[in-house]
Amino acid sequence: MKNFTPIFLVFLLTLYSSFIVAQEAKISGIVLDTSGNPIPFANVVLYTPDQAVVKGTITDDAGRYSIVSVSQGAYIIKVSFIGYKEYVSEEFILSAKEELPNIQLEEITESLNEVTVISKKPTIVREVDRLVFNVENTIAATGSAWEILKRTPGVVIKQDALTVRNNAVSVYLNDRKIELSFEEIQSLLEGVGGDTIKSIEVITNPSAKYDAEGGAILNIVSSKTLYLGYKGSVAARGTYGIFPKHYFGTSHYFKTKKLNVFFNYGYSPLKRTKLNDNFVNYQNENTPISRWTQDFERKTWTKAHNANLIVDYQLSDQQKISFSAIGLYSPNEFDFERSQTAVSSFVGDSFVIGTTSNVDGEQKNIAFDMTYAYSLKKGELQANAHYTTYNKDRIQRLSSVYIDDENAIFRNVRFTSDALQDIEIYTGQIDYTTQAGKFGVEIGGKVAVINSRSVINFPFIQNDDSNGLDQAQNDDFLYDENVFASYATLSRDVNKWSFKGGIRVEQTNSTGTSLILNEEVVLDYLEWFPSAYLQYKASANHSFSLDYSRKLDRPRYQDLNPFVYFLNENNFFQGNSGLLPAFSHQFNFNYSLFGKYFFDVYYRDNGENILRLGFQDNVNEVFRSENQNAIDSQSWGVDFTHGRSIAKWWYFYTYMSLFHEEETFLALESNNSIVTNDVNGFYGSFSNFLTISKDKTFTGEVSLAYFSRFISGSYVQASTTDLRIGVKKTFWDKRASLSIAVNDVLGEANALLTSRYLNQDNGYIAVPETQNLQIGFTYNFGNFKLKDNNRTLDKKERERLSNSD
């Protein structure tokens, strides 16, 4: 019995050891380069100490790998990837579950005649459904995310809108839609450092996964989140044109293994001005009646507050939940508008109209977003819920005096209008991605419910005579829209071929009701939106691709309101509750030479595209603008893109386009004649990014963009030239940066637009403060090299919240 205890203990220890060895273990980790960036598709192989292969895998987009169902014991791990030195670990003991330290691969360098060459990914890459502009760790990453976006091939800023091929685009940040106005997007992205941007994706033909509504997509991809800890930053920016504009902001980010928290707040007190000179030549059967020339100026004061909160929590290895909230609050907005209209009459007395207008307003835009993601063995399931509330109030007080040749006042016009708009948006969406054999599969569904109410009242009108104020009338306009959508896509790579195809179906029910006018417009339609992409890589030097998609453009909520906004009583914008959705077909053929020269041939049939048109009433001498469906709209062209390093310190790229645009519309003030406005044009962008100092802390940029001319509805714009010069200096171990840039150096970024056909002869030139000096300063603290989870909300319905004026 004395020997029983040690024998029993030996038996238990042996049994316990056998049980442990029999257990299956799991090993995981992350593979990075020396800059801390993830390396996807790296080979990870587990060996026994005697070099016998156990199991292997590859890393995902975040550089993460996982090897499961492995017996416990001693192992060696090897990691390899083209262009990098192989990594071989020391022998280690694997327990039940092991998270290895991050593995860093070193790039392979070759010495050729004392010149060191380091492998780098190309700056511009053509993929099956998009053009990828890689900027990470290149001179192109200098400046802010906004500056990089403006320099992306094919991107043009036109009349306060980002466009690609003369069409407005949607901006995404890490596949999340930025649902803000043009100026708010600019302010947001100017606060995001260019060194956090990995690439810009230009998706000219979005797949069926994306909403059918909209044209091209600009997706900003930031570097992945890699490290634990805290970081923060403060930033200040001043833009000095005619008036100063300022921005003050702070961002804070905290990350643990399971929790990510991001918070950003920005305050933008500004005063800006916009000059607008326009003319209208009224006529009767080609005989001049009068010429109206107007000198218009709008000054705007705002003190906008922006806040963004994002919380990500990893519930388990497979489950993640994310909450986002974004808010814009702009109280005490104030516009002061002044205009002087000189009327030179050929059939009567000439006179001058002096007009002043004050607009007080307030705007709120708040959105909440919740996403649940579940990772499967061969895919992922996501469910999303979203809510937006938007509110805008405006009170306008306008006064005009008419002065004759003897400087006597012979007429007074005054009125007050009070406008209110409330919009609520609810959406729910579910997406599932998986791998079915050799095919990649995406399926999903979405429901969107939009409720909008717009009210306008004219509590006071003083009008000595009949004119455009006849259009002023009270109204209460309700707009309700329900959209039900589902989609499926299929993709596969076979040798040198890549294919991706999909179909999206959307059922739309909308009702627009004018309570005062007792009018109702009901739309009920089911539409299918196919998309297809085909790419053939003949060799390393030659690649061809062809794609097609059908898209939809719905009217903006504000444009459906049959309300009137006056510049003066003879010049106003009126909404159109009868606008219909427009459907388009887009075709692209692309050829890539040596992976450096890209040629794109495209054709776009926009169908009944929604146009902003201006019409002069020659009888009453009144000018009005309104949105209208085109009768036909199409465009085609050839684009060329090329980027290269001319020297170690000089990177250059160019984007050039030869294009044809045409719009056919109904001329309402020309006996309802059908008119086609077309133009053949050229656009060229030439950008130079310079490394001025050896330590790469001092960089510069010289960019030139030229537009021969283009069309906008019934208008043709003359040529423009935009020259930008900027420098940036980083210091304090890259914790701080100071940038200075001069925009529109030549003062030729704005040009005259004219509309001349049949009995119409008018034009205008709008001059915002494009010629300005920008000075920005940013200071980072904490673990400032940490990549954050900053993103915004992916809701197409919010895009139509932009202002109509």
Side-chain angles (χ1 to χ4, degrees):
M1 294 294 297
K2 293 182 179 180
N3 295 329
F4 175 80
T5 298
I7 294 173
F8 179 73
L9 290 176
V10 170
F11 173 78
L12 288 179
L13 289 173
T14 304
L15 182 62
Y16 178 75
S17 299
S18 301
F19 174 75
I20 291 296
V21 172
Q23 278 189 310
E24 291 185 343
K26 173 184 176 181
I27 184 172
S28 60
I30 298 176
V31 179
L32 313 170
D33 62 17
T34 54
S35 298
N37 301 309
I39 301 179
F41 308 113
N43 292 313
V44 181
V45 183
L46 194 65
Y47 291 83
T48 62
D50 58 358
Q51 299 298 312
V53 176
V54 180
K55 277 192 175 182
T57 186
I58 61 173
T59 57
D60 60 17
D61 289 342
R64 176 168 288 278
Y65 63 90
S66 178
I67 302 176
V68 297
S69 301
V70 179
S71 300
Q72 295 182 3
Y75 294 99
I76 295 173
I77 194 168
K78 294 183 180 181
V79 182
S80 61
F81 189 67
I82 297 176
Y84 292 85
K85 295 179 181 178
E86 184 182 52
Y87 169 86
V88 180
S89 72
E90 296 181 354
E91 183 178 322
F92 61 92
I93 302 298
L94 180 61
S95 60
K97 185 177 181 180
E98 189 76 23
E99 175 80 17
L100 294 183
N102 292 344
I103 296 173
Q104 286 193 327
L105 300 185
E106 296 182 8
E107 293 175 312
I108 297 174
T109 61
E110 298 178 1
S111 179
L112 302 175
N113 297 328
E114 299 182 352
V115 176
T116 301
V117 178
I118 300 179
S119 60
K120 294 182 179 180
K121 54 187 173 184
T123 304
I124 300 173
V125 176
R126 167 66 66 185
E127 295 185 359
V128 64
D129 61 346
R130 65 196 65 194
L131 182 74
V132 182
F133 181 37
N134 291 306
V135 298
E136 189 175 32
N137 297 326
T138 72
I139 185 62
T142 60
S144 66
W146 174 254
E147 292 166 347
I148 297 173
L149 193 66
K150 292 195 302 181
R151 299 192 294 260
T152 300
V155 175
V156 176
I157 296 180
K158 186 186 70 172
Q159 297 178 352
D160 290 343
L162 286 164
T163 64
V164 170
R165 294 175 178 172
N166 205 25
N167 264 10
V169 301
S170 301
V171 179
Y172 284 64
L173 182 58
N174 292 327
D175 285 323
R176 291 291 182 182
K177 181 78 165 50
I178 301 179
E179 298 291 2
L180 298 171
S181 69
F182 173 82
E183 292 179 348
E184 292 163 351
I185 289 176
Q186 179 178 353
S187 178
L188 172 68
L189 296 183
E190 283 178 341
V192 178
D195 55 352
T196 68
I197 304 302
K198 180 180 180 180
S199 62
I200 306 290
E201 298 176 344
V202 183
I203 311 174
T204 54
N205 260 355
S207 71
K209 179 180 179 179
Y210 297 92
D211 287 329
E213 183 181 1
I217 289 176
L218 298 176
N219 184 35
I220 304 170
V221 182
S222 65
S223 300
K224 300 291 184 181
T225 302
L226 300 176
Y227 309 106
L228 306 182
Y230 165 80
K231 76 169 183 176
S233 67
V234 291
R237 181 177 64 254
T239 302
Y240 305 97
I242 299 176
F243 298 113
K245 287 157 280 292
H246 297 99
Y247 168 82
F248 306 95
T250 181
S251 298
H252 302 271
Y253 176 66
F254 176 73
K255 176 180 173 59
T256 66
K257 288 186 177 180
K258 290 190 174 183
L259 178 67
N260 292 2
V261 179
F262 174 84
F263 176 74
N264 170 265
Y265 169 75
Y267 175 57
S268 306
L270 63 84
K271 177 183 179 182
R272 63 174 178 264
T273 185
K274 185 176 182 179
L275 304 176
N276 193 322
D277 294 331
N278 58 69
F279 70 88
V280 183
N281 292 322
Y282 292 105
Q283 54 190 285
N284 181 16
E285 296 182 355
N286 296 324
T287 300
I289 298 175
S290 63
R291 178 177 175 85
W292 294 51
T293 57
Q294 183 183 68
D295 177 14
F296 175 86
E297 179 183 15
R298 173 186 294 169
K299 297 178 181 178
T300 302
W301 290 261
T302 62
K303 296 179 180 179
H305 302 264
N306 287 277
N308 189 13
L309 172 66
I310 300 170
V311 179
D312 298 329
Y313 186 73
Q314 195 76 35
L315 298 171
S316 65
D317 290 344
Q318 291 80 30
Q319 301 179 82
K320 178 181 178 181
I321 190 169
S322 301
F323 170 78
S324 301
I326 184 170
L328 166 67
Y329 176 53
S330 184
N332 303 319
E333 294 182 345
F334 179 70
D335 286 347
F336 173 75
E337 298 172 354
R338 174 206 59 82
S339 67
Q340 180 169 299
T341 305
V343 180
S344 301
S345 177
F346 302 109
V347 295
D349 297 330
S350 298
F351 54 93
V352 174
I353 306 174
T355 303
T356 60
S357 173
N358 298 327
V359 180
D360 293 292
E362 181 175 287
Q363 184 178 174
K364 299 175 185 176
N365 188 342
I366 304 174
F368 302 95
D369 199 87
M370 180 76 74
T371 299
Y372 169 79
Y374 186 86
S375 297
L376 306 169
K377 289 184 178 180
K378 293 185 178 182
E380 184 181 64
L381 178 67
Q382 277 196 4
N384 175 269
H386 174 88
Y387 171 70
T388 286
T389 176
Y390 174 89
N391 175 269
K392 185 170 185 178
D393 297 322
R394 297 183 62 165
I395 298 177
Q396 181 184 16
R397 303 174 183 88
L398 184 143
S399 175
S400 292
V401 293
Y402 288 63
I403 305 173
D404 60 21
D405 290 339
E406 297 180 357
N407 205 31
I409 298 175
F410 66 91
R411 181 181 173 196
N412 283 280
V413 175
R414 292 188 300 160
F415 73 82
T416 300
S417 68
D418 187 356
L420 164 69
Q421 184 163 43
D422 284 314
I423 299 174
E424 290 188 330
I425 301 172
Y426 306 84
T427 68
Q429 182 167 340
I430 187 167
D431 301 282
Y432 174 61
T433 60
T434 187
Q435 193 74 23
K438 297 181 179 180
F439 291 91
V441 179
E442 297 175 319
I443 57 175
K446 179 179 180 180
V447 59
V449 178
I450 300 100
N451 299 318
S452 171
R453 183 190 180 197
S454 302
V455 180
I456 189 168
N457 293 306
F458 289 86
F460 172 75
I461 296 179
Q462 174 189 334
N463 184 18
D464 297 340
D465 196 3
S466 174
N467 60 8
L469 276 180
D470 293 340
Q471 303 294 323
Q473 52 189 330
N474 299 338
D475 201 358
D476 192 339
F477 182 73
L478 305 179
Y479 179 77
D480 299 316
E481 180 180 278
N482 299 325
V483 179
F484 306 91
S486 62
Y487 74 89
T489 68
L490 197 66
S491 61
R492 185 182 178 185
D493 295 335
V494 181
N495 298 325
K496 298 181 179 182
W497 294 89
S498 295
F499 167 78
K500 185 175 184 179
I503 187 71
R504 185 180 186 91
V505 58
E506 293 192 356
Q507 169 66 46
T508 303
N509 307 102
S510 67
T511 303
T513 305
S514 174
L515 299 180
I516 303 298
L517 302 179
N518 195 26
E519 295 177 352
E520 185 176 81
V521 178
V522 178
L523 295 178
D524 183 352
Y525 53 94
L526 176 71
E527 295 289 341
W528 299 79
F529 302 93
S531 62
Y533 311 85
L534 182 65
Q535 184 180 51
Y536 175 65
K537 295 182 179 179
S539 65
N541 296 329
H542 302 278
S543 177
F544 305 86
S545 65
L546 180 67
D547 59 74
Y548 161 78
S549 70
R550 184 175 187 249
K551 289 294 178 180
L552 165 69
D553 184 17
R554 292 188 178 92
R556 298 182 181 276
Y557 310 128
Q558 289 87 342
D559 296 340
L560 291 166
N561 303 337
F563 299 165
V564 178
Y565 178 78
F566 290 90
L567 297 179
N568 60 42
E569 63 275 19
N570 295 88
N571 189 338
F572 57 87
F573 169 81
Q574 185 171 20
N576 181 2
S577 61
L579 287 175
L580 299 174
F583 301 91
S584 63
H585 299 271
Q586 303 182 37
F587 301 85
N588 294 283
F589 174 75
N590 311 296
Y591 169 60
S592 172
L593 177 63
F594 303 126
K596 297 179 179 179
Y597 303 90
F598 302 93
F599 302 86
D600 299 326
V601 180
Y602 70 90
Y603 171 77
R604 187 175 63 238
D605 179 1
N606 295 315
E608 297 179 345
N609 191 28
I610 300 174
L611 307 176
R612 174 69 67 88
L613 300 172
F615 297 109
Q616 62 188 68
D617 179 350
N618 289 301
V619 176
N620 298 307
E621 298 185 67
V622 171
F623 185 87
R624 80 177 189 276
S625 299
E626 69 175 44
N627 287 330
Q628 183 187 112
N629 286 101
I631 296 175
D632 187 37
S633 173
Q634 54 186 323
S635 62
W636 57 84
V638 179
D639 298 345
F640 170 73
T641 307
H642 174 61
R644 67 185 307 164
S645 294
I646 297 178
K648 287 185 177 181
W649 54 273
W650 182 5
Y651 176 77
F652 168 81
Y653 92 74
T654 181
Y655 170 83
M656 293 183 285
S657 178
L658 290 170
F659 60 87
H660 173 86
E661 299 274 345
E662 64 180 55
E663 308 276 8
T664 301
F665 58 92
L666 191 66
L668 299 182
E669 293 293 344
S670 305
N671 295 320
N672 289 331
S673 300
I674 296 177
V675 175
T676 297
N677 186 26
D678 63 345
V679 68
N680 295 309
F682 168 78
Y683 172 75
S685 175
F686 312 92
S687 301
N688 302 272
F689 306 104
L690 313 173
T691 303
I692 301 174
S693 62
K694 291 184 178 180
D695 61 0
K696 299 182 180 180
T697 61
F698 190 24
T699 58
E701 174 199 349
V702 179
S703 299
L704 177 70
Y706 172 76
F707 229 137
S708 64
R709 58 180 187 158
F710 62 88
I711 64 173
S712 179
S714 62
Y715 289 91
V716 177
Q717 178 173 305
S719 63
T720 61
T721 304
D722 189 3
L723 175 64
R724 168 188 165 90
I725 300 175
V727 294
K728 179 182 179 182
K729 173 66 176 178
T730 59
F731 44 93
W732 298 342
D733 191 26
K734 296 185 178 181
R735 285 188 176 270
S737 65
L738 177 67
S739 61
I740 301 175
V742 180
N743 296 300
D744 190 13
V745 176
L746 303 177
E748 297 182 1
N750 306 290
L752 178 68
L753 288 90
T754 56
S755 178
R756 292 190 171 102
Y757 62 90
L758 301 177
N759 62 348
Q760 302 288 296
D761 185 2
N762 57 82
Y764 70 93
I765 177 172
V767 185
E769 295 176 77
T770 53
Q771 194 170 40
N772 57 58
L773 171 68
Q774 288 183 330
I775 302 176
F777 175 79
T778 301
Y779 178 73
N780 301 288
F781 48 87
N783 185 9
F784 71 97
K785 294 183 179 180
L786 179 70
K787 307 304 182 194
D788 60 48
N789 64 333
N790 183 16
R791 63 178 182 273
T792 51
L793 303 179
D794 179 15
K795 290 294 160 290
K796 190 68 184 177
E797 292 71 27
R798 287 172 50 87
E799 183 178 18
R800 291 182 278 164
L801 294 178
S802 63
N803 296 332
S804 61
D805 59 336

